[in-house]
Amino acid sequence: MSTRHAEIHRTTAETDVLVSMELDGSGTSHIDTGIGFFDHMLTLFAAHARVDLSVTCHGDIEVDGHHTVEDIGISIGDAFRTAIGDKRGISRYGTFFLPMDETLAMVSLDISGRPFLCYDPGTEPMTPMIGTYDTELTEEFLRAFSTHAGITLHVKILYGKNSHHRIEAVFKAFAHALRIAIEKDARAGDAIPSTKGLL
């Protein structure tokens, strides 16, 4: 196991979340959120980012999925921020366009220490629910992650009609962009990738 590893246990009156994250992994995952489609998204996120990810959550999904999805975003973001450390030697930036059938999604990010989310789902209306997953929660997950991870995150669905394809393309593009950004740059050595000397 590398040093770029973190475990987070977050407990509130609404959720109990346990996250383990290994940035230098192989893409293995164990995901149990209680929301099937969200499990699928986190599983493919881990696989495409090549991070090892374990997420278990006991949440108040009898109310709805909002608290579960948001608190998992917070917890994964916290785990990422801990695991990435001082960011020495990383590429820092990542951008990826991902096609999925009729859909094209783009994610561009900066591991900047400055949290920001710009989320553009496109003009086509999204199906409200995919299984038991509220599609509005995609933005909530990304906002929670970007805020707690300390990254600048831009997400745009350029076009597409099928809501499953559109959200899956976002998660996969996010994974690939993150994978690019966290990779070590051999030419940078142990330098922090900023002229400020701090991220």
Side-chain angles (χ1 to χ4, degrees), residues 17-124:
V17 184
L18 182 61
V19 169
S20 175
M21 189 176 217
E22 168 61 59
L23 296 184
D24 301 302
S26 60
T28 62
S29 62
H30 173 77
I31 311 294
D32 183 9
T33 70
I35 304 172
F37 182 77
F38 191 43
D39 287 357
H40 179 44
M41 293 301 100
L42 293 180
T43 298
L44 62 83
F45 168 78
H48 285 266
R50 288 289 185 263
V51 301
D52 294 342
L53 181 65
S54 175
V55 179
T56 57
C57 179
H58 301 286
D60 58 354
I61 54 175
E62 72 281 359
V63 176
D64 69 7
H66 192 285
H67 300 144
T68 290
V69 173
E70 183 177 39
D71 286 4
I72 288 172
I74 290 170
S75 300
I76 296 177
D78 286 341
F80 178 85
R81 189 164 196 156
T82 300
I84 200 70
D86 61 9
K87 309 178 185 75
R88 289 184 180 275
I90 66 169
S91 294
R92 177 177 168 178
Y93 297 97
T95 298
F96 204 86
F97 287 81
L98 192 131
M100 186 169 182
D101 296 348
E102 86 296 343
T103 294
L104 183 65
M106 183 280 299
V107 172
S108 189
L109 60 86
D110 175 12
I111 305 175
S112 59
R114 299 186 304 277
F116 190 85
L117 173 67
C118 182
Y119 177 73
D120 181 356
T123 58
E124 191 76 21

Side-chain angles (χ1 to χ4, degrees), residues 134-148:
D134 181 346
T135 56
E136 288 187 347
L137 296 180
T138 303
E139 183 174 4
E140 297 305 317
F141 170 79
L142 294 170
R143 179 175 292 106
F145 178 92
S146 61
T147 299
H148 285 259

